Amino acid sequence: TLEQQIDIYEEGINYLEDYEPEEVAYVLTIRDEIEETIEQKGISSGLKEKLEILDSKFKDKTEVVVKNLGVLLQMNQAAGKSTSHWWWYLDKVAKK
């Protein structure tokens, strides 16, 4: 469910500094899945608010993600997955 996906995303964000590139990629992939679920089923206002807070926390950890970003993009592209959402480009988001 969307709520479970968001809970997994939250846990991933909380431990992001300790993760290897593959685990950071997993957090990004979970965020992709959340977005896909939202597009298909929508989101309640309560979960939307929680997701916005988590996205803000995720952006605060830009340095951790950007450190692994090259590897992460290569891994995702090699797997044939999309990398079109903002969370795959935190380096550019951080500059704004």
Side-chain angles (χ1 to χ4, degrees):
T1 68
L2 180 58
E3 190 169 355
Q4 290 169 324
Q5 290 171 322
I6 290 174
D7 288 344
I8 292 168
Y9 179 54
E10 180 175 25
E11 186 175 328
I13 291 169
N14 289 337
Y15 298 100
L16 206 55
E17 290 90 357
D18 301 327
Y19 288 166
E20 296 295 321
E22 295 83 9
E23 294 165 316
V24 176
Y26 180 70
V27 174
L28 294 168
T29 301
I30 287 294
R31 187 58 181 87
D32 285 340
E33 291 174 11
I34 290 168
E35 195 65 23
E36 187 176 307
T37 301
I38 291 169
E39 289 171 5
Q40 292 174 358
K41 299 179 180 180
I43 185 171
S44 69
S45 59
L47 283 180
K48 183 176 181 181
E49 184 177 324
K50 181 176 181 177
L51 183 58
E52 288 171 354
I53 291 167
L54 292 174
D55 282 344
S56 179
K57 287 181 178 182
F58 185 70
K59 288 176 187 176
D60 289 343
K61 299 190 180 202
T62 296
E63 187 177 317
V64 175
V65 177
V66 169
K67 177 175 69 173
N68 296 294
L69 209 49
V71 173
L72 300 176
L73 285 168
Q74 287 175 355
M75 287 169 47
N76 222 40
Q77 289 168 351
K81 296 183 179 181
S82 172
T83 55
S84 61
H85 297 294
W86 63 262
W87 45 90
W88 288 97
Y89 300 94
L90 278 179
D91 55 337
K92 292 176 178 66
V93 171
K95 290 179 184 177
K96 289 185 179 179

